[in-house]
Amino acid sequence: MSILVYINSNGGIHKSALEVVTYGKKIGENVTVITSGSADSSSLSSLGKYGATKVLVDRSLQNDDAQQLTRLITSAAENMNASTIVFSQDIIAKAVAPRLSVRLSAGLISGAIDIPSPDGNVKVNVFSGKAFGSVHVHSSKKIISVLPNSIQPEITGSDCAVEEYNGNIGAPSIKVIDTKKPEGEIPLPEAELVVSAGRGMKAPENWHLVEALAKELGAATACSRPVADIGWRPHHEHVGQTGVAIRPNLYIAIGISGAIQHLAGVNGSKVIVVINTDAEAPFFKAADYGIVGDAFEVLPRLTEAVKKFHATRH
Amino acid sequence: MKILVCISKSPDTTSKIAFTDNNTKFDENGVQYIVNPYDEWYALVRALEIKETLGGNVTIVTVGLAADEAIIRKALAIGADDAVRIDAEPSDAYYTAMQISNYAKSNAFDLILTGKETINYNGSQVAAMLAESLDLPFVSLATKLDVSGTTLTLEREIVGGLQIEELTIPAVVSCAKGMAEQRIPNMRGIMAARTKPLEIIAPVAIEPLTSFVNYSIPNSKTACKMIDPMNMDELVELLHNEAKVI
Ligand SMILES: Cc1cc2nc3c(=O)[nH]c(=O)nc-3n(C[C@H](O)[C@H](O)[C@H](O)COP(=O)(O)OP(=O)(O)OC[C@H]3O[C@@H](n4cnc5c(N)ncnc54)[C@H](O)[C@@H]3O)c2cc1C
Ligand SMILES: Nc1ncnc2c1ncn2[C@@H]1O[C@H](COP(=O)(O)O)[C@@H](O)[C@H]1O
């Protein structure tokens, strides 16, 4: 089985890249990585530790143009006769993997949360995380797009070769006018720890309490939908059925009632902590740890406790 | 502007999710279907706004069986001009995309809009498959779409940010939150929808590439452990030693 893994290496090697290389190694022996990003050769080479046999990099591609990326990955897949192509299920994968599926007539499994079972079927989230489905691919070639935080990166080898690659990507069809990236924030879908708050915080000027806890934990921040709708928080923080779906190790929900549409986006989290004044809030039914209390009093106390915990460990 | 909007159905967001036939089929008992929210709120409404300023025509297309005509009428009531139903069970995203692509090939649309994803199988696959099959540029998860002549200006989400892009029609765009505001159909719309043209066409022969073999429901959580709001050291201790997440 020869596996081709696509990673987005813009701005360095992300954790999601280590996850998908590890995934590739678990399902096949010969794992080639294809990338177009800006990461330098020595960091690309370190992907060998996670199971890559070789890394191919085409530095001529800019802006992750989906049609160009499709041509690049198709060319690499055909050259090595890849049986399975692996992506991390992010915005790039959502635009590229289905194109590749059509081009190669390869069945696409998107949102995989585990490696294939012995009969080759792959488990995915369906109905916004309310159920799992097991997908069978009829074609001989497969594409698997893995949900972030579904697999733990594992070191199994040592650095590997990095080769410049020319994928004949053609011209871009989309012209990029401007890019806006907030600096220094942890991207929500990748975050292992998430601190999230809802209407219970009362007003945007109270968010410093939420941010202080997130900072102390090294967590990303998120919010419920009404909070984004009224403009207290930016839209990319909104989690749930109509927002981002996340599955961090820890999700702390503050002043969020736990409506079914909110839960749909977060019920894949490993551990859920709920802080709410109302002991009857539905969120407690989905929680592992619950605190019935006023966020304005509990948050500073929790932040202080985390600070103390970190101090004693260094 | 000739616009095609792809409409799918999804279970009402409060539906109970259960399975029958040895967990191989979704249990439709008591499930209320709605127009997939992304398709209705964002793709369809933006298409109507563009038509209202630039003129043209908005066609909706659904791959689905006769029962789906209820959601088609709803979309017509909101303002689409006419509808096409491709008479087949949408077995997988590939099958669905190939059916729509086959229809679109003979109808020269300037713009094809879809929702961001269906909220049942959450594949986010159909639109990009359609674009590849039609060899068109595709912008995913657009939060803004403006048209000027043959140029589209779009804002879309990228990994950790936003990007503003330009391209020339024809193109496929998947629509996310921010694109438009929900519209409630009025009585006149509902009446008019009854007589708007709905064409039913036969599917072409396509083999799906994937299928769901079975489903399962996640184990429900063990009872929530309650912690004294005065004792946050205990919570931190549990998160570290018991849950092992910090
Ligand atoms: C089709 C559809 C899609 C939707 N999609 C989403 C989605 O993707 N994401 C989403 O989040 N919602 C979504 N919603 C909305 C959802 O149904 C809820 O309305 C929303 O999640 C409620 O937000 P909230 O919990 O912040 O606010 P509220 O329901 O108002 O809850 C506030 C909570 O804060 C508690 N509280 C108040 N004061 C304090 C305090 N001082 N300290 C601690 N706790 C306090 C209250 O007890 C209450 O439980 C959707 C709805 C529909 C119909
Ligand atoms: N059966 C269908 N008929 C028409 N359009 C569909 C169908 N299924 C999905 N779509 C469109 O494709 C988008 C993405 O769907 P999906 O790939 O299933 O997440 C939806 O938001 C719809 O606009």
Side-chain angles (χ1 to χ4, degrees):
Chain A
M1 287 262 276
S2 48
I3 313 290
L4 181 64
V5 177
Y6 166 77
I7 65 159
N8 160 26
S9 64
N10 284 324
I13 305 289
H14 305 273
K15 179 170 159 271
S16 57
L18 308 181
E19 292 172 0
V20 283
V21 174
T22 303
Y23 191 98
K25 175 72 184 169
K26 282 185 188 286
I27 61 174
E29 271 313 307
N30 179 9
V31 180
T32 301
V33 172
I34 178 96
T35 186
S36 57
S38 60
D40 58 42
S41 293
S42 73
S43 32
L44 290 174
S45 164
S46 71
L47 292 170
K49 296 197 181 91
Y50 297 87
T53 351
K54 131 173 117 181
V55 178
L56 306 174
V57 53
D58 186 337
R59 301 205 187 264
S60 65
L61 189 142
Q62 258 131 35
N63 299 321
D64 306 318
D65 184 276
Q67 276 175 300
Q68 290 181 305
L69 266 175
T70 306
R71 289 183 205 118
L72 170 65
I73 302 170
T74 303
S75 127
E78 283 174 348
N79 277 339
M80 65 178 283
N81 195 18
S83 57
T84 303
I85 305 171
V86 182
F87 286 85
S88 177
Q89 175 80 334
D90 60 13
I91 291 168
I92 297 177
K94 283 184 182 175
V96 176
R99 295 199 86 116
L100 211 54
S101 167
V102 170
R103 188 165 280 222
L104 301 173
S105 297
L108 166 61
I109 300 170
S110 58
I113 53 175
D114 205 349
I115 58 167
S117 64
D119 52 15
N121 297 336
V122 181
K123 199 171 174 184
V124 300
N125 268 341
V126 289
F127 294 98
S128 308
K130 287 179 227 167
F132 303 123
S134 177
V135 182
H136 179 73
V137 173
H138 306 291
S139 52
S140 59
K141 291 188 168 59
K142 285 185 194 172
I143 304 171
I144 304 178
S145 185
V146 185
L147 268 193
N149 279 335
S150 298
I151 185 156
Q152 202 55 40
E154 277 172 30
I155 294 186
T156 48
S158 51
D159 287 1
C160 68
V162 177
E163 291 170 18
E164 298 292 327
Y165 186 79
N166 179 352
N168 291 318
I169 56 172
S173 51
I174 293 172
K175 194 164 120 203
V176 174
I177 309 290
D178 194 12
T179 303
K180 300 173 189 162
K181 280 197 180 185
E183 289 296 318
E185 279 177 35
I186 304 171
L188 195 49
E190 280 182 29
E192 291 185 22
L193 309 176
V194 175
V195 176
S196 181
R199 227 156 25 187
M201 288 308 295
K202 309 282 193 286
E205 56 270 23
N206 299 327
W207 242 264
H208 66 96
L209 294 172
V210 178
E211 279 162 349
L213 175 61
K215 185 147 180 265
E216 204 50 56
L217 280 168
T221 48
C223 67
S224 68
R225 179 167 129 185
V227 161
D229 281 350
I230 22 182
W232 293 359
R233 297 300 293 174
H235 268 304
H236 65 257
E237 279 196 5
H238 149 209
V239 291
Q241 183 140 40
T242 43
V244 193
I246 54 172
R247 45 197 342 260
N249 290 336
L250 174 63
Y251 184 73
I252 304 185
I254 305 148
I256 303 177
S257 55
I260 190 159
Q261 298 89 356
H262 184 86
L263 294 181
V266 304
N267 55 10
S269 310
K270 253 190 214 117
V271 173
I272 295 179
V273 174
V274 168
I275 302 173
N276 200 306
T277 39
D278 176 7
E280 300 299 315
F283 220 143
F284 285 114
K285 288 203 183 70
D288 299 278
Y289 301 104
I291 296 121
V292 178
D294 185 341
F296 295 87
E297 291 163 20
V298 174
L299 275 180
R301 243 180 255 143
L302 178 53
T303 306
E304 203 44 49
V306 175
K307 197 180 263 171
K308 217 164 74 192
F309 167 73
H310 284 152
T312 55
R313 293 187 70 227
H314 291 309
Chain B
M1 254 287 141
K2 235 181 121 189
I3 309 176
L4 180 67
V5 182
C6 303
I7 300 282
S8 55
K9 65 173 177 193
S10 66
D12 174 15
T13 60
T14 55
S15 299
K16 185 169 156 23
I17 305 300
F19 301 94
T20 59
D21 293 15
N22 214 0
N23 284 326
T24 57
K25 265 176 76 186
F26 177 55
D27 183 0
E28 293 194 311
N29 222 324
V31 170
Q32 180 81 32
Y33 281 103
I34 56 172
V35 185
N36 187 41
Y38 297 107
D39 309 356
E40 179 191 324
W41 301 351
Y42 310 132
L44 176 59
V45 176
R46 189 63 195 134
L48 296 173
E49 289 170 355
I50 293 170
K51 180 193 125 174
E52 284 155 10
T53 47
L54 300 175
N57 191 77
V58 176
T59 300
I60 52 172
V61 62
T62 296
V63 181
L65 302 177
D68 296 348
E69 287 185 8
I71 64 144
I72 295 176
R73 291 290 170 202
K74 166 95 189 276
L76 289 171
I78 294 170
D81 296 296
D82 46 61
V84 171
R85 179 169 69 81
I86 303 173
D87 189 23
E89 182 80 48
S91 352
D92 78 340
Y94 177 78
Y95 180 90
T96 307
M98 291 306 117
Q99 297 300 343
I100 300 174
S101 147
N102 179 63
Y103 165 73
K105 268 178 192 153
S106 49
N107 283 279
F109 291 99
D110 301 307
L111 182 59
I112 302 179
L113 300 183
T114 76
K116 167 187 165 190
E117 64 189 17
T118 45
I119 61 178
N120 36 5
Y121 298 109
N122 304 102
S124 222
Q125 300 184 7
V126 170
M129 287 179 169
L130 183 58
E132 181 65 26
S133 157
L134 295 168
D135 198 21
L136 291 180
F138 166 55
V139 175
S140 56
L141 309 185
T143 50
K144 248 190 209 149
L145 162 63
D146 288 309
V147 186
S148 156
T150 57
T151 305
L152 302 181
T153 307
L154 292 122
E155 196 171 286
R156 74 161 175 123
E157 292 174 41
I158 53 167
V159 178
L162 271 182
Q163 193 159 285
I164 297 167
E165 303 179 340
E166 234 175 58
L167 64 153
T168 312
I169 55 167
V172 180
V173 176
S174 85
C175 305
K177 193 180 167 105
M179 175 80 71
E181 296 291 333
Q182 184 178 7
R183 278 191 191 177
I184 312 290
N186 57 24
M187 209 50 202
R188 230 180 69 211
I190 296 168
M191 296 304 285
R194 292 191 188 155
T195 53
K196 282 182 179 171
L198 164 57
E199 186 190 353
I200 298 162
I201 59 181
V204 283
I206 298 284
E207 283 302 317
L209 294 174
T210 61
S211 55
F212 280 91
V213 282
N214 57 46
Y215 301 92
S216 56
I217 303 275
N219 294 334
S220 56
K221 291 252 175 189
T222 43
C224 172
K225 205 174 252 185
M226 299 312 286
I227 293 158
D228 178 358
M230 297 306 287
N231 192 355
M232 285 302 103
D233 290 329
E234 186 193 350
L235 176 65
V236 171
E237 197 270 328
L238 288 168
L239 290 177
H240 181 60
N241 289 320
E242 187 178 80
K244 299 193 172 27
V245 288
I246 60 171

